[in-house]
Amino acid sequence: MRDHIEPRPWNSIQAEIVKLLDKVSEEEFRQLLSVFEESSNRRWFFSGQGRLGLIAQMAAMRFMHLGFECHVTDEATAPAVRKGDYFVLVCGSGRTPVSKSFAEIAHADGAELIVVTHKPNSEIALDADVLLTVPMGETMQFGGTLFEQGALILLDCLALELVKKTDDAHNRMWQRHTNLQ
């Protein structure tokens, strides 16, 4: 019989995520939520580089299922970002050159810039109209994994808050998902 029981591998990751989520600014989250609530009829563009690009794509799909007109900026069929659009940029460092360039172009064309980052004092974050800081702490995980997890969870939380305020949201999402409208 073993005297010491090894913790399950996911327990340490769970602890890191809980710690991160406890530090999220409710004010920043509510501000971003209000932008989504008030602007559902505008076009939404999502962008990120590398694995963060995958998170941006997942977020775009979530919001598309809720009825938002969403595009991912590096897809061939995405229209140009224009005045009145929202540009959601997931950029951990706040200084990735391609992300910085996309943000500058979107802002110059009149789009409102939303930045999800763990560097709230970065140049990209300081240019944001709306900022959601993912408060990174110490992590045992590889590279930017904790930021990626936090960004995805927070974007999913935004979608969930919108679902709660939408009549028959699950059926409407399912209809959009299966093209049964």
Side-chain angles (χ1 to χ4, degrees), residues 69-127:
E69 181 182 345
C70 295
H71 304 280
V72 177
T73 56
D74 56 354
E75 290 184 354
T77 58
V81 177
R82 295 288 179 242
K83 183 178 176 86
D85 295 336
Y86 280 100
F87 186 78
V88 180
L89 179 61
V90 184
C91 183
S93 69
R95 59 182 174 85
T96 304
V98 172
S99 292
K100 185 177 177 189
S101 179
F102 282 175
E104 289 170 354
I105 292 167
H107 233 189
D109 287 340
E112 293 191 48
L113 178 61
I114 296 169
V115 174
V116 179
T117 185
H118 65 85
K119 297 284 188 181
N121 295 318
S122 65
E123 189 175 340
I124 292 173
L126 294 174
D127 287 340

Side-chain angles (χ1 to χ4, degrees), residues 10-62:
W10 48 88
N11 289 140
S12 55
I13 293 172
Q14 175 188 16
E16 288 186 359
I17 292 171
V18 167
K19 190 183 243 184
L20 179 148
L21 294 175
D22 282 343
K23 295 179 190 173
V24 171
S25 165
E26 189 165 343
E27 180 181 335
E28 287 183 2
F29 183 86
R30 295 285 171 210
Q31 181 183 11
L32 182 51
L33 178 62
S34 71
V35 170
F36 273 95
E37 290 171 334
E38 297 165 5
S39 306
S40 62
N41 61 341
R42 291 167 72 181
R43 297 188 314 170
W44 291 80
F45 291 81
F46 291 78
S47 183
Q49 303 307 307
R51 294 183 309 266
L52 297 176
L54 298 173
I55 289 167
Q57 289 177 35
M58 287 190 290
M61 184 170 282
R62 299 269 198 275

Side-chain angles (χ1 to χ4, degrees), residues 16-17 20 136-139 141 143-151:
E16 288 186 359
I17 292 171
L20 179 148
M136 291 281 294
E138 291 296 316
T139 181
Q141 297 184 66
T145 302
L146 182 60
F147 172 74
E148 295 155 6
Q149 294 162 340

